[in-house]
């Protein structure tokens, strides 16, 4: 087997120096200085009808260009969800709606020459509301007499069980085997409801977009987005203009984590620029990013797990109630992962059931966040399995080794796919060694009211959306022998530009430095669904492989023309081609140069790739904590993670992806606490009130990889982007249960909850 030269190597990111030296690479850095500043007036009520917006005083403020209300925008419903058409998310928005549905919903758009005049104009807008009762409890939303979306022009493009007259964004049910009969026949059944609150992505770069009109009268949109082609379609729908009139590009992105898979900021400056024909920009404040964005879906996941005395898990029953908030972005799709990515972890079930409802309420609408519903479902199922182990007096690691899914098994709860690559058993065995499980499980008293304990969880995710996601790549040979790789996948800091360039370098048998990466641009990049659903390495990587293979054939064809030889007589080592019969050679640079004169062989290839399957990566996480029983304070002492992502393309980037996801998981487990007032106002509107973990909160993190080989993936690779956030919540909750005897089933598990729980024991 050929030894890989570039794939598998821990090479530095291609944009690393620009980022660490503070070069102007982000959206606000490169926005024109004469942009109009765009801001929006936001509703102060959770549910209301805007009776009037008096804007005559605001429009007279010097420097104000325009003030728009619901009366000025197109009346065509659309969704802000960045998904492949037809989007499963319902069309339930206007750019501005007279009916505002959460505290923070846009009421008016103001554009002016600078921030000061816009702020002054916003303060002068006088709005009269007809305040309506608000529906804030998602447990009471289904079939409630209060309707979040009573409008008649609401529509769903896909059959997802949606019904706005029942406050349902989606609803569904699937079952295999005799669930009730199996549950009644089991020796032990663990049952519980697990509540995961909404959580913010809290990326360092907030939502930001600038727009202008180009020489040809087209709307140019530059945005910090994961989904350039979806943004183009969404803006076309919202503005009522042809897609051909819109160009969308993205610069460097200062973090996304799924937040930027929705069109959060783009529509407002796009509308201003289209109306005024002047450049404009919108930069969200941190408060706006906290209160008017697209956080994780709040879910309550009810689980029943049934087993025999010997630890054989026979049946899993999951019902998920998901809160999509005021609008339905990603509501029908996130919920599916709560069952489809948790139940299949156990491969010997006699029966399973998965049902769900996604409901509208009058709180900020949810969206995509790393893990995308799997996080909530895995927290519930894995914690229930840990409680089952306790009831059976079986070590939870042994219980998992007995029941976990294995390579070659069919996975009925995962769309019937075959598990073609799986090192999950090796992952859990290695994690057990790394943390010293046998010596530390379940708990040790270390004196002074403190104990140390450990917890465990497994996870799986996917590699793109099977049969839906499309990745594309264009690669061309330049006259100097250097390649240009054009993609529309968005590097959010994940390093996908580097990873895809590594694949291209491996295919073309050249140095990584000989690959230039460009994108993403709807005018010049080949179509790509975008960077989400853990699809880039697996799906777009497949397109890179195919495009490189095609270009290699073209290069060899051109070399044969130059050397006057047949293909079987040609040797090419990535740098020069030679005629083995007469010894004549031609360099790659000479081939590139020759293609520019009298040539009929296009040294450029574009290929698309989509996969009918989505092979899951697997992971085991184990946490060691120190818990103070007097204060309830939890310190992360050690977190070990062992990941099976197939072939590891870049060990350094895979490691930091894993470490970052674990830290986000620690944050949502222990600190990040969304709180609403009784009138629907979100209290956590800054990073002072919304606590994300710092370096001091992380403890030691140890990451290793147990590679499998996925035959359908590029170089045997699977995804890694999302799975890494899924184990901390159940593993840490398990460790807390081992330390206290209390099974906390709502996130976050704060020190106060722990202390009060211990007092009540």
């Amino acid at each position: 087997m050929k030894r890989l030269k570039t794939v598998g190597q821990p090479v530095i990111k291609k944009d690393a120096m620009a980022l660490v030296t503070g070069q102007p690479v982000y959206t606000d850095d490169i926005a024109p200085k004469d942009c109009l500043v765009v801001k929006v007036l936001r509703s102060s009520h959770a549910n209301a009808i805007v009776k009037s917006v008096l804007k005559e005083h605001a429009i007279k403020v010097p420097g104000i260009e325009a003030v728009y209300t619901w009366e000025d925008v197109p009346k065509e419903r659309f969704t802000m969800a960045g998904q492949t058409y037809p989007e499963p998310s319902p069309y339930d928005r206007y750019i501005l709606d007279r009916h505002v549905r959460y505290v923070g919903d846009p009421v008016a758009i103001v554009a002016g020459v600078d921030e000061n005049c816009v702020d002054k104009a916003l303060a002068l807008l006088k709005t009269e509301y007809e305040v309506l009762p608000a529906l804030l409890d998602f447990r009471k939303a289904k079939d409630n007499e209060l309707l979040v979306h009573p409008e008649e022009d609401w529509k769903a493009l896909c059959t997802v069980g949606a019904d706005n007259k029942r406050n349902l964004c989606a609803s569904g049910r699937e079952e295999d085997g005799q669930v009730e009969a199996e549950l009644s026949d089991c020796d032990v059944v663990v049952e519980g409801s697990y509540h995961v609150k909404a959580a913010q992505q809290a990326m360092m770069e907030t939502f930001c977009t600038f727009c202008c009109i180009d020489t040809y009268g087209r709307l140019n949109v530059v945005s910090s987005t994961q989904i350039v082609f979806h943004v183009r379609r969404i803006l076309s729908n919202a503005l009522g203009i042809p897609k051909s009139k819109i160009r969308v590009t993205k610069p460097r992105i200062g973090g996304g984590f799924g937040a930027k898979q929705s069109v959060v900021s783009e529509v407002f400056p796009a509308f201003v620029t289209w109306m005024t024909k002047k450049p404009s920009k919108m930069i969200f404040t941190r408060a706006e990013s906290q209160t008017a964005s697209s956080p994780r879906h709040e879910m309550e996941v009810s689980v029943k797990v049934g087993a025999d005395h010997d630890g054989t898990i026979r049946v899993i029953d999951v019902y998920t109630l998901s809160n999509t908030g005021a609008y339905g972005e990603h509501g029908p799709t996130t919920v599916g992962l709560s069952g489809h990515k948790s139940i299949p972890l156990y491969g010997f079930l006699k029966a399973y059931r998965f049902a769900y409802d996604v409901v509208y309420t009058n709180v900020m609408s949810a969206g995509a966040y790393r893990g995308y519903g799997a996080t909530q479902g895995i927290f519930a199922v894995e914690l229930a399995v840990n409680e089952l182990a306790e009831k059976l007096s079986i070590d939870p690691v042994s219980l998992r080794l007995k029941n976990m899914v294995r390579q070659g098994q069919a996975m009925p709860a995962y769309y019937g796919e075959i598990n073609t690559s799986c090192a999950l058993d090796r992952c859990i065995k290695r994690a057990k060694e790394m943390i010293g499980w046998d010596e530390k499980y379940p708990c040790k008293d270390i004196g002074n009211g403190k104990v140390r304990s450990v917890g465990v969880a497994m996870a799986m995710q996917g590699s793109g959306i099977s049969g839906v996601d499309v990745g594309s790549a264009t690669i061309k040979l330049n006259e100097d022998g250097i390649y240009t790789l054009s993609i529309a996948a968005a590097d959010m800091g994940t390093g996908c530009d580097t990873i895809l360039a590594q694949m291209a370098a491996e295919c073309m048998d050249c140095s990584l430095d000989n690959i230039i990466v460009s994108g993403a641009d709807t005018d010049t990049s080949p179509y790509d669904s975008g960077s989400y659903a853990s699809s880039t390495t697996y799906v777009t990587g497949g397109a890179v492989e195919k495009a490189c293979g095609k270009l290699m054939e073209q290069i060899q064809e051109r070399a044969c023309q130059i050397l006057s030889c047949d293909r079987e007589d040609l040797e090419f080592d990535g740098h020069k081609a030679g005629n083995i019969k007469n010894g004549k050679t031609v360099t790659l640079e000479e081939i590139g140069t020759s293609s520019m004169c009298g040539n009929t062989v296009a040294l450029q290839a574009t290929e698309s790739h989509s996969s009918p399957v989505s092979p899951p990566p697997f992971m085991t996480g184990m946490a060691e904590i120190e818990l103070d029983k007097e204060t309830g304070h939890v310190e992360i002492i050690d977190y070990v993670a062992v990941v099976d992502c197939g072939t590891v393309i870049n060990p350094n980037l895979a490691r930091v992806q894993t470490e970052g996801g674990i830290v986000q998981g620690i944050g949502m487990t222990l600190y990040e606490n969304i709180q609403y007032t009784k009138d629907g106002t979100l209290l956590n509107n800054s990073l002072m009130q919304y606590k994300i973990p710092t370096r001091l909160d992380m403890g030691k993190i140890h990451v290793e990889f147990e590679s499998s080989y996925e035959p359908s993936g590029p170089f045997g690779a699977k995804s890694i982007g999302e799975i890494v956030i899924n184990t901390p919540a159940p593993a840490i909750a398990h460790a807390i249960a081992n330390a206290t005897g209390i099974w906390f089933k709502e996130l976050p598990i704060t020190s106060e909850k722990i202390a009060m729980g211990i007092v009540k024991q």
Side-chain angles (χ1 to χ4, degrees):
M1 182 178 177
K2 178 185 175 184
R3 183 177 177 273
L4 299 178
K5 298 178 182 178
T6 309
V7 165
Q9 299 305 307
V11 301
I12 191 172
K13 287 175 62 177
K14 292 185 78 69
D15 58 354
M17 290 307 297
L19 299 180
V20 300
T21 57
Q23 298 301 307
V25 296
Y26 297 105
T27 302
D28 198 26
D29 296 332
I30 61 177
K33 300 307 178 187
D34 61 344
C35 275
L36 295 173
V37 172
V38 177
K39 293 191 177 188
V40 298
L41 176 70
R42 299 188 180 276
S43 171
S44 54
H45 302 286
N47 194 20
I49 302 297
V50 180
K51 296 180 71 175
S52 64
V53 180
L54 301 178
K55 54 187 181 181
E56 53 264 28
H57 296 298
I59 201 71
K60 292 177 182 177
V61 172
I64 291 299
E65 177 72 24
V67 179
Y68 302 108
T69 69
W70 85 90
E71 297 171 301
D72 306 305
V73 300
K75 297 298 184 289
E76 186 66 35
R77 296 277 175 194
F78 66 98
T79 178
M80 288 186 176
Q83 299 175 298
T84 299
Y85 182 86
E87 306 96 327
S89 299
Y91 280 30
D92 54 12
R93 283 189 184 263
Y94 292 144
I95 298 173
L96 297 172
D97 199 336
R98 192 174 186 182
H99 187 171
V100 288
R101 296 174 173 83
Y102 73 96
V103 176
D105 216 354
V107 174
I109 305 170
V110 178
V113 295
D114 58 37
E115 193 169 5
N116 288 335
C117 74
V118 172
D119 287 341
K120 186 175 181 180
L122 284 169
L124 291 174
L125 289 172
K126 302 299 180 185
T127 307
E128 184 181 359
Y129 296 96
E130 177 190 344
V131 181
L132 305 173
L135 180 55
L136 302 175
D137 186 346
F138 77 120
R139 297 179 182 90
K140 299 178 180 177
K142 182 179 176 180
D143 294 324
N144 197 295
E145 62 181 10
L146 297 176
L147 294 180
V148 178
H149 283 277
E151 64 271 13
E152 294 301 323
D153 60 347
W154 177 99
K155 61 183 177 182
L157 275 62
C158 297
T159 304
V160 293
D163 186 345
N164 62 316
K165 299 304 172 66
R166 299 181 63 198
N167 285 327
L168 281 177
C169 176
S171 182
R173 176 189 178 101
E174 60 187 69
E175 188 171 347
D176 185 62
Q178 302 299 315
V179 173
E180 297 299 340
E182 291 292 339
L183 284 169
S184 64
D185 195 45
C186 285
D187 295 324
V188 178
V189 176
V190 169
E191 184 174 356
S193 291
Y194 303 82
H195 182 204
V196 180
K197 292 185 178 181
Q200 285 286 353
Q201 297 89 346
M203 60 281 172
M204 290 298 97
E205 181 196 35
T206 63
F207 301 94
C208 45
T209 304
F210 76 81
C211 304
C212 62
I213 301 294
D214 67 16
T215 305
Y216 307 101
R218 300 171 72 222
L219 176 65
N220 280 220
V221 180
V222 179
S223 190
S224 182
T225 180
Q226 303 169 217
I227 44 161
V228 291
F229 280 97
H230 293 333
V231 169
R232 183 178 66 173
R233 181 186 66 251
I234 293 166
L235 292 179
S236 172
N237 291 340
L239 300 176
I241 62 177
K243 297 179 185 69
S244 59
K245 292 285 188 180
I246 303 170
R247 177 187 185 183
V248 181
T249 60
K250 69 97 194 160
R252 293 292 91 187
I253 301 176
F257 311 118
K260 295 170 183 176
Q261 197 194 332
S262 296
V263 172
V264 175
S265 61
E266 289 88 345
V267 69
F268 304 110
F271 180 71
V272 168
T273 292
W274 188 249
M275 296 297 289
T276 65
K277 308 306 178 190
K278 296 182 178 181
S280 70
K281 72 175 181 179
M282 186 173 194
I283 311 295
F284 268 45
T285 63
R286 179 59 60 185
E288 284 181 302
S289 287
Q290 288 292 119
T291 61
S293 56
S294 57
R296 186 182 297 284
H297 284 74
E298 177 184 24
M299 291 186 189
E300 186 172 75
V301 184
S302 300
V303 177
K304 294 178 185 176
V305 179
D308 293 333
H309 282 310
D310 67 355
T312 301
I313 298 176
R314 293 170 55 179
V315 56
I316 298 179
D317 184 9
V318 172
Y319 169 71
T320 302
L321 179 64
S322 177
N323 183 5
T324 195
Y327 301 96
E329 279 86 21
H330 300 278
T333 40
T334 50
V335 71
L337 275 64
S338 67
H340 294 145
K341 304 293 170 69
S342 58
I343 299 171
L345 282 166
Y346 297 92
F348 300 92
L349 301 179
K350 296 290 183 65
Y352 82 89
R353 178 167 55 208
F354 174 41
Y356 56 85
D357 290 308
V358 184
V359 293
Y360 284 113
T361 58
N362 291 120
V363 298
M364 173 175 46
S365 58
Y369 185 2
R370 189 181 210 164
Y372 201 78
T375 312
Q376 297 94 310
I378 288 171
F379 169 65
V381 170
E382 285 298 278
L383 202 53
V385 169
N386 284 329
E387 190 172 354
L388 175 69
E390 183 185 74
K391 287 193 173 186
L392 292 170
S393 298
I394 297 176
D395 183 292
V397 172
S398 299
L399 184 68
R400 285 176 169 81
L401 283 168
K402 181 182 180 70
N403 291 281
M404 67 172 57
V405 67
R406 304 282 176 153
Q407 185 165 314
Q409 283 186 310
M411 299 178 285
Y414 189 63
Y415 321 108
E417 286 193 20
I418 303 298
N419 189 5
T420 50
S421 56
C422 180
L424 184 55
D425 54 341
R426 302 202 306 273
C427 289
I428 198 166
K429 289 174 184 176
R430 179 60 186 138
K432 180 181 178 180
E433 293 174 3
M434 290 168 66
I435 207 164
W437 180 268
D438 289 338
E439 297 78 41
K440 297 174 180 177
Y441 173 77
C443 183
K444 285 187 176 182
D445 192 316
I446 61 172
N448 200 27
K450 294 182 179 181
V451 295
R452 288 195 176 184
S453 60
V454 289
V456 60
M458 305 187 306
M460 61 178 279
Q461 197 75 33
S463 300
I465 306 172
S466 56
V468 173
D469 283 345
V470 174
S472 300
T474 297
I475 187 164
K476 67 176 180 179
L477 176 64
N478 300 305
E479 67 268 30
D480 57 357
I482 302 298
Y483 299 100
T484 298
L485 176 67
S486 298
I487 56 173
D491 194 329
M492 299 175 279
T494 54
C496 79
D497 285 1
T498 305
I499 289 167
L500 296 173
Q502 284 181 261
M503 293 184 188
E506 193 68 55
C507 291
M508 304 311 297
D509 204 6
C510 70
S511 163
L512 184 66
D513 293 335
N514 287 7
I515 307 291
I516 301 166
V517 183
S518 75
D521 183 332
T522 56
D523 270 13
T524 61
S525 302
Y527 176 81
D528 194 290
S529 300
S531 296
Y532 61 89
S534 302
S535 63
T536 304
T537 298
Y538 178 75
V539 179
T540 307
V544 170
E545 267 196 320
K546 289 165 70 174
C548 288
K550 187 174 181 179
L551 178 60
M552 182 64 80
E553 291 178 0
Q554 294 170 347
I555 290 171
Q556 292 176 354
E557 182 182 347
R558 182 58 183 159
C560 287
Q561 291 178 353
I562 296 170
L563 297 172
S564 301
C565 69
D566 296 327
R567 182 69 64 88
E568 57 266 25
D569 297 328
L570 185 79
E571 280 187 344
F572 180 63
D573 63 4
H575 305 285
K576 66 178 183 298
N579 184 337
I580 59 176
K581 285 188 173 180
N582 59 23
K584 290 184 178 180
T585 63
V586 60
T587 66
L588 186 62
E589 184 174 349
E590 290 170 334
I591 294 171
T593 301
S594 75
S595 70
M596 304 184 71
C597 181
N599 174 50
T600 58
V601 180
L603 299 186
Q604 175 172 308
T606 299
E607 289 289 331
S608 292
H609 180 67
S610 188
S611 175
V613 295
S614 178
F618 295 95
M619 176 182 180
T620 297
M622 292 185 181
E624 181 183 5
I625 66 167
E626 182 175 291
L627 188 145
D628 188 325
K629 288 193 170 184
E630 194 169 314
T631 65
H633 179 66
V634 173
E635 288 281 350
I636 306 294
I637 302 301
D638 194 9
Y639 198 97
V640 304
V642 186
V643 184
D644 163 21
C645 58
T647 299
V648 181
I649 303 296
N650 186 315
N652 279 358
L653 295 181
R655 187 176 307 280
V656 297
Q657 280 281 290
T658 306
E659 291 170 350
I662 288 168
V663 173
Q664 287 181 314
I666 291 170
M668 67 177 287
T669 305
L670 297 177
Y671 310 116
E672 300 174 35
N673 192 19
I674 289 290
Q675 298 163 293
Y676 281 93
T677 66
K678 62 181 180 180
D679 66 356
T681 301
L682 181 62
L683 294 173
N684 316 93
N685 64 356
S686 78
L687 296 184
M688 292 293 289
Q689 288 78 30
Y690 186 79
K691 303 293 186 181
I692 61 175
T694 69
R695 182 63 188 89
L696 299 177
D697 303 308
M698 292 163 53
K700 295 178 181 177
I701 297 176
H702 297 95
V703 175
E704 289 190 8
F705 300 95
E706 284 287 344
S707 296
S708 61
Y709 184 88
E710 171 50 48
S712 67
F715 300 97
K718 299 186 285 190
S719 77
I720 195 171
E722 291 184 280
I723 188 174
V724 292
I725 198 174
N726 291 334
T727 59
I732 294 169
H734 183 210
I736 292 171
N738 287 332
T740 64
I742 305 170
W743 294 90
F744 290 95
K745 298 179 181 180
E746 180 182 69
L747 300 182
I749 309 171
T750 62
S751 298
E752 181 181 10
K753 288 181 184 178
I754 295 170
M756 292 301 100
I758 292 172
V759 167
K760 292 175 183 177
Q761 276 182 317

